[in-house]
Amino acid sequence: MKLTTYLESLEQIDLLVEAKVDEAIICPLTLSRFGKVLNNQITKMAQALKEKGIKPILEWDILMTENIFSQTIKSFEYIDLNEFESIRLQDPGAIHYILENYPHLNIQLILESGGHHNIESLKTWKRLVGDRLERVVLSLELSRDHLANYINELGVEVEFLGLGRILLFYTPRNLISPIFGHDESDSKVISDVRNSEGIEVSASSEESPHKGFPVIENMHGTFMFNTKDHCVLEYLDDLQKIGLSSLRIDLRFGHDLKMLGTIRKLMNSFDEEVVNRLKENYPVTLIRGFFHKNKSDVLFKKLKNYRIQRSDDSFLGDVIEVNKKNHLGIILRSRKNSLKLGMRIRLLTPDGKDKELFISSIKTSDHQEISEATHGQVVFVPHVSGVSVKTVAYLMEG
Amino acid sequence: MTHWVPELLAPAGSLEKLKVAVLYGANAVYLGGQKFGLRSAAENFTIEELEEGVQFAHERNAQVYVVLNSFFHDKDFDSLLEFITELERLKVDALIVSDPGVISFISANSNLEIHLSTQASCLNVESAKMWKKLGVTRIVLGREVTVKEAAKIKKESGLEVEMFVHGSMCMAYSGNCVISNYTQGRDSNRGGCAHSCRFEYKIEGINPETGNEFSKNNFFMSSKDLEGIRVLPEFIEGEIDSLKVEGRMKSHLYAGTISKVYSEALSYYKEKGDFLSDELKFWEEELNKVTHRAYTEASLVEPAGSDSIYGDREHEINEYAAIGEILEVNEGKYLLVEVRSAFEIGDELEILPFKGRAMKFTMDFIKNVMDEDLPRTKPGSLVKVPFVEGAQKWNLLRRRLQQ
């Protein structure tokens, strides 16, 4: 399993060498969401990494509207792509552009967000990118078992975040600088934000139990992170066993790069005590996220009352008025079934009651007695206690 | 001579809302089935309702698109084949999909047309070309794209393009927000969005200008609502194929009013070839009569700036109340109304006809269905109110609120 991390400056290289890092991701200011590296530094950094036996990988992970895309690709006039064998991409436009224009570059596909939580999707990307696909970077929302399955089925390198921030939200809009009273016409602060490392604030809401979401605004927009960082270091042994190709450690945002050395040692010889110490000393609370199980759809059944949905061929219509001891108003919605005198109907209420009614009379709104009502008609039948508006009416079988 | 105009695509959160949208002028509607959409709490359509909805729409030359735009997990595929087989049998006009795996699956198992959902955040020409390789015929572009960029994407990709023209907006790139997943345990990309972007947040940090500590409460992630009525000339010039209205969870009055206003505006252009009319002001006034946040053109003309943030306390502007709809017109005698919001004797209500100006009338009488006089109504009841010439079944009623 390779150890992959980020290189933000030439000064960091020695620490990466010491930790025997296999790959270093270089994030250009103009191409990468949290990039800090200026175009004129990129070649130097890539060469320095190669001299030390570390593979440099270029990251181009911003999402781009058409105008931004046109501006962004001008960066390649200043970056010597021959220094790289691989590039990391997320925007499908960037993928298409690299496939068409830079045939020597292998692609590491970032599939951490978007519809990439199923094998069909991953295989579709594999087919689209073809033999240029070197690696897929998979979503933190995948459980261990899914990860194992995909590693087994895909036949390409798979990367997963071992330690680092969890990105929750990404917009191209500048959301923080306006809070300081600056808008687009107030160019100084905005340009400071856009051209430098950006600004970071903390956001907390009374409506959420989680306090202190880190939020960064930079030239690419605004990004919110989870209050807790992602960590699966206690499962290193298992990750090696299931065949994970690359473990990414993201210590940007002010963390101590010396942790890389400890993690490398853990990869060589796992020690739970060391993991626990590392976690205790980490400045932010750590979670394993969905690594055990992703149950983020189990609450959906509670969001809706399934009792009020029409569900079969005997559907008649809905109760739209209840006048106690007098009548039920029913709108006939079925095109197939009609309501007739003498039939029995079943009434399923929103709160789960199951009632029966013998149709002894059917009246229109102008009090005419009728023997049959069909699609679209509003009619009135005898009242049944316990029935409320939104009750669904069905023909009774037999 | 008539002039080309885009399709108007309205939300249909239920069968009733589908009928309302089509009757009020939408050329197409989009709706969700019981699974695979992003509105888990919405009523959504059963197969029987879908069948009726497709029949109703097709009888009136309107198209029906079904959303399957959630991000699938492996187990979701178990019932997908059965569902798309039903959709093909019902002759829906297209599916709106965001997940590459689902696109591949549908292409392999049906002849259904596929539109790429905005959830996939397709933003540029190269991206559109990539999705074209998967067989999609239309791209619902990300809301960050300007109309000019969209026109370029259409021209250079050869795909149909669809853009949002009206409604609430995600602040994040669609499909790139997982706040609910981590804070509420609900997958926002499978229908569980908890709208955390609408919360008020206390922002703390260092002011970059002064270097001093800073703390302020703010709705910094909440977007104003999109209103594109004044951008219609650009949409037409850019030959944008379809204009989409957000809001499957919104009211019947919303579905009706927005469909009516935009369809009337597009009809005006179709006939006259311009928008040089006082009607524009009227259309804007009508759009203000549905519940909404402050409006913005967002990124339709140029990238959204700080004025697109809805920075006030979270509340919606509400000038008019949705009163209900007409279920029966008893010629010369009364209108039978299903009441959704209470009104009383002497109130002035407005009937929203399918075409033309709203008709005002006064509640000279209100009777229940047993013809007993009522001083006021209550929601969830049926009442008889005075007959109005020109009123039609399914017309919506509204009432101006005291300001």
Side-chain angles (χ1 to χ4, degrees), chain B residues 20 23 45 58 161 165-166 191 209 233 281 291-292 321 341 343 351 354 399:
Chain B
V20 165
L23 290 169
F45 284 64
H58 285 177
V161 295
V165 69
H166 198 97
E209 199 170 25
K281 191 166 172 287
T291 305
H292 64 283
S341 173
F343 57 92
I351 295 172
F354 298 133
R399 180 171 64 89

mmCIF file with all atom_site columns, all heavy atoms in Angstrom, chain B residues 20 23 45 58 161 165-166 191 209 233 281 291-292 321 341 343 351 354 399:
data_model
loop_
_atom_site.group_PDB
_atom_site.id
_atom_site.type_symbol
_atom_site.label_atom_id
_atom_site.label_alt_id
_atom_site.label_comp_id
_atom_site.label_asym_id
_atom_site.label_entity_id
_atom_site.label_seq_id
_atom_site.pdbx_PDB_ins_code
_atom_site.Cartn_x
_atom_site.Cartn_y
_atom_site.Cartn_z
_atom_site.occupancy
_atom_site.B_iso_or_equiv
_atom_site.pdbx_formal_charge
_atom_site.auth_seq_id
_atom_site.auth_comp_id
_atom_site.auth_asym_id
_atom_site.auth_atom_id
_atom_site.pdbx_PDB_model_num
ATOM 1   N N   . VAL B 1 20  ? -52.379 20.825 -12.490 1.00 0.00 ? 20  VAL B N   1
ATOM 2   C CA  . VAL B 1 20  ? -52.352 22.281 -12.346 1.00 0.00 ? 20  VAL B CA  1
ATOM 3   C C   . VAL B 1 20  ? -51.297 22.885 -13.279 1.00 0.00 ? 20  VAL B C   1
ATOM 4   O O   . VAL B 1 20  ? -51.565 23.827 -14.025 1.00 0.00 ? 20  VAL B O   1
ATOM 5   C CB  . VAL B 1 20  ? -52.063 22.664 -10.877 1.00 0.00 ? 20  VAL B CB  1
ATOM 6   C CG1 . VAL B 1 20  ? -51.667 24.132 -10.750 1.00 0.00 ? 20  VAL B CG1 1
ATOM 7   C CG2 . VAL B 1 20  ? -53.268 22.372 -10.004 1.00 0.00 ? 20  VAL B CG2 1
ATOM 8   N N   . LEU B 1 23  ? -52.383 22.518 -16.974 1.00 0.00 ? 23  LEU B N   1
ATOM 9   C CA  . LEU B 1 23  ? -53.531 23.380 -17.291 1.00 0.00 ? 23  LEU B CA  1
ATOM 10  C C   . LEU B 1 23  ? -53.137 24.855 -17.316 1.00 0.00 ? 23  LEU B C   1
ATOM 11  O O   . LEU B 1 23  ? -53.702 25.648 -18.070 1.00 0.00 ? 23  LEU B O   1
ATOM 12  C CB  . LEU B 1 23  ? -54.658 23.157 -16.279 1.00 0.00 ? 23  LEU B CB  1
ATOM 13  C CG  . LEU B 1 23  ? -55.377 21.807 -16.383 1.00 0.00 ? 23  LEU B CG  1
ATOM 14  C CD1 . LEU B 1 23  ? -56.277 21.568 -15.175 1.00 0.00 ? 23  LEU B CD1 1
ATOM 15  C CD2 . LEU B 1 23  ? -56.192 21.724 -17.667 1.00 0.00 ? 23  LEU B CD2 1
ATOM 16  N N   . PHE B 1 45  ? -45.150 9.872  -7.023  1.00 0.00 ? 45  PHE B N   1
ATOM 17  C CA  . PHE B 1 45  ? -46.163 9.184  -7.818  1.00 0.00 ? 45  PHE B CA  1
ATOM 18  C C   . PHE B 1 45  ? -46.089 7.662  -7.658  1.00 0.00 ? 45  PHE B C   1
ATOM 19  O O   . PHE B 1 45  ? -45.021 7.083  -7.767  1.00 0.00 ? 45  PHE B O   1
ATOM 20  C CB  . PHE B 1 45  ? -45.975 9.519  -9.301  1.00 0.00 ? 45  PHE B CB  1
ATOM 21  C CG  . PHE B 1 45  ? -46.455 10.886 -9.687  1.00 0.00 ? 45  PHE B CG  1
ATOM 22  C CD1 . PHE B 1 45  ? -45.862 12.028 -9.166  1.00 0.00 ? 45  PHE B CD1 1
ATOM 23  C CD2 . PHE B 1 45  ? -47.493 11.041 -10.583 1.00 0.00 ? 45  PHE B CD2 1
ATOM 24  C CE1 . PHE B 1 45  ? -46.300 13.292 -9.521  1.00 0.00 ? 45  PHE B CE1 1
ATOM 25  C CE2 . PHE B 1 45  ? -47.942 12.305 -10.950 1.00 0.00 ? 45  PHE B CE2 1
ATOM 26  C CZ  . PHE B 1 45  ? -47.345 13.423 -10.414 1.00 0.00 ? 45  PHE B CZ  1
ATOM 27  N N   . HIS B 1 58  ? -50.084 13.918 -21.926 1.00 0.00 ? 58  HIS B N   1
ATOM 28  C CA  . HIS B 1 58  ? -49.986 13.648 -23.368 1.00 0.00 ? 58  HIS B CA  1
ATOM 29  C C   . HIS B 1 58  ? -51.249 14.078 -24.113 1.00 0.00 ? 58  HIS B C   1
ATOM 30  O O   . HIS B 1 58  ? -51.155 14.539 -25.254 1.00 0.00 ? 58  HIS B O   1
ATOM 31  C CB  . HIS B 1 58  ? -49.695 12.175 -23.605 1.00 0.00 ? 58  HIS B CB  1
ATOM 32  C CG  . HIS B 1 58  ? -48.270 11.806 -23.298 1.00 0.00 ? 58  HIS B CG  1
ATOM 33  N ND1 . HIS B 1 58  ? -47.787 10.528 -23.369 1.00 0.00 ? 58  HIS B ND1 1
ATOM 34  C CD2 . HIS B 1 58  ? -47.208 12.565 -22.903 1.00 0.00 ? 58  HIS B CD2 1
ATOM 35  C CE1 . HIS B 1 58  ? -46.505 10.503 -23.053 1.00 0.00 ? 58  HIS B CE1 1
ATOM 36  N NE2 . HIS B 1 58  ? -46.143 11.734 -22.745 1.00 0.00 ? 58  HIS B NE2 1
ATOM 37  N N   . VAL B 1 161 ? -29.866 21.636 -24.127 1.00 0.00 ? 161 VAL B N   1
ATOM 38  C CA  . VAL B 1 161 ? -29.555 22.122 -22.780 1.00 0.00 ? 161 VAL B CA  1
ATOM 39  C C   . VAL B 1 161 ? -30.812 22.651 -22.097 1.00 0.00 ? 161 VAL B C   1
ATOM 40  O O   . VAL B 1 161 ? -31.700 23.204 -22.739 1.00 0.00 ? 161 VAL B O   1
ATOM 41  C CB  . VAL B 1 161 ? -28.453 23.216 -22.763 1.00 0.00 ? 161 VAL B CB  1
ATOM 42  C CG1 . VAL B 1 161 ? -27.126 22.663 -23.220 1.00 0.00 ? 161 VAL B CG1 1
ATOM 43  C CG2 . VAL B 1 161 ? -28.852 24.413 -23.585 1.00 0.00 ? 161 VAL B CG2 1
ATOM 44  N N   . VAL B 1 165 ? -34.940 28.398 -14.495 1.00 0.00 ? 165 VAL B N   1
ATOM 45  C CA  . VAL B 1 165 ? -35.384 29.774 -14.721 1.00 0.00 ? 165 VAL B CA  1
ATOM 46  C C   . VAL B 1 165 ? -35.996 30.373 -13.455 1.00 0.00 ? 165 VAL B C   1
ATOM 47  O O   . VAL B 1 165 ? -36.041 31.587 -13.298 1.00 0.00 ? 165 VAL B O   1
ATOM 48  C CB  . VAL B 1 165 ? -36.383 29.839 -15.904 1.00 0.00 ? 165 VAL B CB  1
ATOM 49  C CG1 . VAL B 1 165 ? -37.714 29.156 -15.545 1.00 0.00 ? 165 VAL B CG1 1
ATOM 50  C CG2 . VAL B 1 165 ? -36.651 31.261 -16.366 1.00 0.00 ? 165 VAL B CG2 1
ATOM 51  N N   . HIS B 1 166 ? -36.457 29.512 -12.536 1.00 0.00 ? 166 HIS B N   1
ATOM 52  C CA  . HIS B 1 166 ? -37.170 30.040 -11.366 1.00 0.00 ? 166 HIS B CA  1
ATOM 53  C C   . HIS B 1 166 ? -37.139 29.039 -10.209 1.00 0.00 ? 166 HIS B C   1
ATOM 54  O O   . HIS B 1 166 ? -37.193 27.840 -10.427 1.00 0.00 ? 166 HIS B O   1
ATOM 55  C CB  . HIS B 1 166 ? -38.627 30.319 -11.733 1.00 0.00 ? 166 HIS B CB  1
ATOM 56  C CG  . HIS B 1 166 ? -39.307 31.232 -10.756 1.00 0.00 ? 166 HIS B CG  1
ATOM 57  N ND1 . HIS B 1 166 ? -39.431 32.586 -10.957 1.00 0.00 ? 166 HIS B ND1 1
ATOM 58  C CD2 . HIS B 1 166 ? -39.860 30.989 -9.543  1.00 0.00 ? 166 HIS B CD2 1
ATOM 59  C CE1 . HIS B 1 166 ? -40.046 33.139 -9.926  1.00 0.00 ? 166 HIS B CE1 1
ATOM 60  N NE2 . HIS B 1 166 ? -40.311 32.188 -9.050  1.00 0.00 ? 166 HIS B NE2 1
ATOM 61  N N   . GLY B 1 191 ? -32.174 12.099 -1.172  1.00 0.00 ? 191 GLY B N   1
ATOM 62  C CA  . GLY B 1 191 ? -33.484 12.620 -0.782  1.00 0.00 ? 191 GLY B CA  1
ATOM 63  C C   . GLY B 1 191 ? -33.619 13.050 0.656   1.00 0.00 ? 191 GLY B C   1
ATOM 64  O O   . GLY B 1 191 ? -34.710 13.355 1.116   1.00 0.00 ? 191 GLY B O   1
ATOM 65  N N   . GLU B 1 209 ? -8.908  42.186 7.203   1.00 0.00 ? 209 GLU B N   1
ATOM 66  C CA  . GLU B 1 209 ? -8.505  43.567 6.957   1.00 0.00 ? 209 GLU B CA  1
ATOM 67  C C   . GLU B 1 209 ? -7.907  44.208 8.207   1.00 0.00 ? 209 GLU B C   1
ATOM 68  O O   . GLU B 1 209 ? -6.877  44.871 8.150   1.00 0.00 ? 209 GLU B O   1
ATOM 69  C CB  . GLU B 1 209 ? -9.718  44.373 6.492   1.00 0.00 ? 209 GLU B CB  1
ATOM 70  C CG  . GLU B 1 209 ? -9.339  45.654 5.788   1.00 0.00 ? 209 GLU B CG  1
ATOM 71  C CD  . GLU B 1 209 ? -10.548 46.287 5.134   1.00 0.00 ? 209 GLU B CD  1
ATOM 72  O OE1 . GLU B 1 209 ? -11.695 46.040 5.575   1.00 0.00 ? 209 GLU B OE1 1
ATOM 73  O OE2 . GLU B 1 209 ? -10.360 47.050 4.188   1.00 0.00 ? 209 GLU B OE2 1
ATOM 74  N N   . PRO B 1 233 ? -35.263 36.976 -22.903 1.00 0.00 ? 233 PRO B N   1
ATOM 75  C CA  . PRO B 1 233 ? -34.684 37.259 -24.233 1.00 0.00 ? 233 PRO B CA  1
ATOM 76  C C   . PRO B 1 233 ? -33.336 36.557 -24.435 1.00 0.00 ? 233 PRO B C   1
ATOM 77  O O   . PRO B 1 233 ? -33.062 36.042 -25.518 1.00 0.00 ? 233 PRO B O   1
ATOM 78  C CB  . PRO B 1 233 ? -34.500 38.781 -24.223 1.00 0.00 ? 233 PRO B CB  1
ATOM 79  C CG  . PRO B 1 233 ? -35.468 39.281 -23.204 1.00 0.00 ? 233 PRO B CG  1
ATOM 80  C CD  . PRO B 1 233 ? -35.561 38.216 -22.161 1.00 0.00 ? 233 PRO B CD  1
ATOM 81  N N   . LYS B 1 281 ? -43.885 44.018 -16.326 1.00 0.00 ? 281 LYS B N   1
ATOM 82  C CA  . LYS B 1 281 ? -44.082 44.478 -14.951 1.00 0.00 ? 281 LYS B CA  1
ATOM 83  C C   . LYS B 1 281 ? -45.188 43.645 -14.275 1.00 0.00 ? 281 LYS B C   1
ATOM 84  O O   . LYS B 1 281 ? -45.069 43.237 -13.129 1.00 0.00 ? 281 LYS B O   1
ATOM 85  C CB  . LYS B 1 281 ? -44.470 45.964 -14.970 1.00 0.00 ? 281 LYS B CB  1
ATOM 86  C CG  . LYS B 1 281 ? -44.441 46.634 -13.635 1.00 0.00 ? 281 LYS B CG  1
ATOM 87  C CD  . LYS B 1 281 ? -44.491 48.149 -13.816 1.00 0.00 ? 281 LYS B CD  1
ATOM 88  C CE  . LYS B 1 281 ? -44.648 48.862 -12.494 1.00 0.00 ? 281 LYS B CE  1
ATOM 89  N NZ  . LYS B 1 281 ? -45.980 48.748 -11.922 1.00 0.00 ? 281 LYS B NZ  1
ATOM 90  N N   . THR B 1 291 ? -45.363 32.554 -2.522  1.00 0.00 ? 291 THR B N   1
ATOM 91  C CA  . THR B 1 291 ? -44.402 32.587 -1.420  1.00 0.00 ? 291 THR B CA  1
ATOM 92  C C   . THR B 1 291 ? -42.992 32.382 -1.960  1.00 0.00 ? 291 THR B C   1
ATOM 93  O O   . THR B 1 291 ? -42.738 31.487 -2.752  1.00 0.00 ? 291 THR B O   1
ATOM 94  C CB  . THR B 1 291 ? -44.742 31.453 -0.422  1.00 0.00 ? 291 THR B CB  1
ATOM 95  O OG1 . THR B 1 291 ? -46.096 31.629 -0.033  1.00 0.00 ? 291 THR B OG1 1
ATOM 96  C CG2 . THR B 1 291 ? -43.850 31.504 0.796   1.00 0.00 ? 291 THR B CG2 1
ATOM 97  N N   . HIS B 1 292 ? -42.094 33.265 -1.554  1.00 0.00 ? 292 HIS B N   1
ATOM 98  C CA  . HIS B 1 292 ? -40.719 33.157 -2.068  1.00 0.00 ? 292 HIS B CA  1
ATOM 99  C C   . HIS B 1 292 ? -39.772 33.911 -1.143  1.00 0.00 ? 292 HIS B C   1
ATOM 100 O O   . HIS B 1 292 ? -40.183 34.750 -0.348  1.00 0.00 ? 292 HIS B O   1
ATOM 101 C CB  . HIS B 1 292 ? -40.626 33.756 -3.478  1.00 0.00 ? 292 HIS B CB  1
ATOM 102 C CG  . HIS B 1 292 ? -40.910 35.231 -3.530  1.00 0.00 ? 292 HIS B CG  1
ATOM 103 N ND1 . HIS B 1 292 ? -42.184 35.744 -3.451  1.00 0.00 ? 292 HIS B ND1 1
ATOM 104 C CD2 . HIS B 1 292 ? -40.086 36.297 -3.640  1.00 0.00 ? 292 HIS B CD2 1
ATOM 105 C CE1 . HIS B 1 292 ? -42.126 37.068 -3.510  1.00 0.00 ? 292 HIS B CE1 1
ATOM 106 N NE2 . HIS B 1 292 ? -40.870 37.435 -3.614  1.00 0.00 ? 292 HIS B NE2 1
ATOM 107 N N   . ALA B 1 321 ? -52.282 34.457 0.052   1.00 0.00 ? 321 ALA B N   1
ATOM 108 C CA  . ALA B 1 321 ? -52.491 33.113 0.590   1.00 0.00 ? 321 ALA B CA  1
ATOM 109 C C   . ALA B 1 321 ? -53.142 32.247 -0.477  1.00 0.00 ? 321 ALA B C   1
ATOM 110 O O   . ALA B 1 321 ? -54.005 32.721 -1.235  1.00 0.00 ? 321 ALA B O   1
ATOM 111 C CB  . ALA B 1 321 ? -53.395 33.180 1.811   1.00 0.00 ? 321 ALA B CB  1
ATOM 112 N N   . SER B 1 341 ? -56.944 27.259 2.835   1.00 0.00 ? 341 SER B N   1
ATOM 113 C CA  . SER B 1 341 ? -56.629 28.313 3.805   1.00 0.00 ? 341 SER B CA  1
ATOM 114 C C   . SER B 1 341 ? -57.927 29.080 4.070   1.00 0.00 ? 341 SER B C   1
ATOM 115 O O   . SER B 1 341 ? -58.674 29.392 3.131   1.00 0.00 ? 341 SER B O   1
ATOM 116 C CB  . SER B 1 341 ? -55.546 29.205 3.193   1.00 0.00 ? 341 SER B CB  1
ATOM 117 O OG  . SER B 1 341 ? -55.318 30.314 4.001   1.00 0.00 ? 341 SER B OG  1
ATOM 118 N N   . PHE B 1 343 ? -61.073 31.555 4.883   1.00 0.00 ? 343 PHE B N   1
ATOM 119 C CA  . PHE B 1 343 ? -61.522 32.901 4.508   1.00 0.00 ? 343 PHE B CA  1
ATOM 120 C C   . PHE B 1 343 ? -62.922 33.090 5.081   1.00 0.00 ? 343 PHE B C   1
ATOM 121 O O   . PHE B 1 343 ? -63.527 32.144 5.591   1.00 0.00 ? 343 PHE B O   1
ATOM 122 C CB  . PHE B 1 343 ? -61.490 33.101 2.989   1.00 0.00 ? 343 PHE B CB  1
ATOM 123 C CG  . PHE B 1 343 ? -62.298 32.104 2.208   1.00 0.00 ? 343 PHE B CG  1
ATOM 124 C CD1 . PHE B 1 343 ? -63.617 32.362 1.869   1.00 0.00 ? 343 PHE B CD1 1
ATOM 125 C CD2 . PHE B 1 343 ? -61.729 30.903 1.816   1.00 0.00 ? 343 PHE B CD2 1
ATOM 126 C CE1 . PHE B 1 343 ? -64.362 31.442 1.133   1.00 0.00 ? 343 PHE B CE1 1
ATOM 127 C CE2 . PHE B 1 343 ? -62.473 29.971 1.081   1.00 0.00 ? 343 PHE B CE2 1
ATOM 128 C CZ  . PHE B 1 343 ? -63.782 30.238 0.745   1.00 0.00 ? 343 PHE B CZ  1
ATOM 129 N N   . ILE B 1 351 ? -59.733 34.556 -8.494  1.00 0.00 ? 351 ILE B N   1
ATOM 130 C CA  . ILE B 1 351 ? -59.648 33.298 -9.249  1.00 0.00 ? 351 ILE B CA  1
ATOM 131 C C   . ILE B 1 351 ? -58.530 33.465 -10.263 1.00 0.00 ? 351 ILE B C   1
ATOM 132 O O   . ILE B 1 351 ? -58.475 34.465 -10.990 1.00 0.00 ? 351 ILE B O   1
ATOM 133 C CB  . ILE B 1 351 ? -60.964 33.004 -10.001 1.00 0.00 ? 351 ILE B CB  1
ATOM 134 C CG1 . ILE B 1 351 ? -62.085 32.770 -8.989  1.00 0.00 ? 351 ILE B CG1 1
ATOM 135 C CG2 . ILE B 1 351 ? -60.808 31.816 -10.941 1.00 0.00 ? 351 ILE B CG2 1
ATOM 136 C CD1 . ILE B 1 351 ? -63.461 32.660 -9.621  1.00 0.00 ? 351 ILE B CD1 1
ATOM 137 N N   . PHE B 1 354 ? -56.870 29.933 -16.259 1.00 0.00 ? 354 PHE B N   1
ATOM 138 C CA  . PHE B 1 354 ? -55.752 29.282 -16.960 1.00 0.00 ? 354 PHE B CA  1
ATOM 139 C C   . PHE B 1 354 ? -55.048 30.270 -17.892 1.00 0.00 ? 354 PHE B C   1
ATOM 140 O O   . PHE B 1 354 ? -53.856 30.177 -18.117 1.00 0.00 ? 354 PHE B O   1
ATOM 141 C CB  . PHE B 1 354 ? -56.238 28.055 -17.729 1.00 0.00 ? 354 PHE B CB  1
ATOM 142 C CG  . PHE B 1 354 ? -56.818 26.999 -16.828 1.00 0.00 ? 354 PHE B CG  1
ATOM 143 C CD1 . PHE B 1 354 ? -58.034 26.398 -17.141 1.00 0.00 ? 354 PHE B CD1 1
ATOM 144 C CD2 . PHE B 1 354 ? -56.166 26.627 -15.659 1.00 0.00 ? 354 PHE B CD2 1
ATOM 145 C CE1 . PHE B 1 354 ? -58.572 25.433 -16.300 1.00 0.00 ? 354 PHE B CE1 1
ATOM 146 C CE2 . PHE B 1 354 ? -56.704 25.673 -14.812 1.00 0.00 ? 354 PHE B CE2 1
ATOM 147 C CZ  . PHE B 1 354 ? -57.916 25.077 -15.133 1.00 0.00 ? 354 PHE B CZ  1
ATOM 148 N N   . ARG B 1 399 ? -55.904 34.891 -2.048  1.00 0.00 ? 399 ARG B N   1
ATOM 149 C CA  . ARG B 1 399 ? -56.415 36.073 -1.336  1.00 0.00 ? 399 ARG B CA  1
ATOM 150 C C   . ARG B 1 399 ? -55.240 36.922 -0.892  1.00 0.00 ? 399 ARG B C   1
ATOM 151 O O   . ARG B 1 399 ? -54.255 36.400 -0.359  1.00 0.00 ? 399 ARG B O   1
ATOM 152 C CB  . ARG B 1 399 ? -57.224 35.642 -0.109  1.00 0.00 ? 399 ARG B CB  1
ATOM 153 C CG  . ARG B 1 399 ? -57.802 36.805 0.715   1.00 0.00 ? 399 ARG B CG  1
ATOM 154 C CD  . ARG B 1 399 ? -58.766 36.277 1.768   1.00 0.00 ? 399 ARG B CD  1
ATOM 155 N NE  . ARG B 1 399 ? -58.090 35.428 2.744   1.00 0.00 ? 399 ARG B NE  1
ATOM 156 C CZ  . ARG B 1 399 ? -57.518 35.877 3.867   1.00 0.00 ? 399 ARG B CZ  1
ATOM 157 N NH1 . ARG B 1 399 ? -57.531 37.172 4.153   1.00 0.00 ? 399 ARG B NH1 1
ATOM 158 N NH2 . ARG B 1 399 ? -56.951 35.028 4.713   1.00 0.00 ? 399 ARG B NH2 1
#
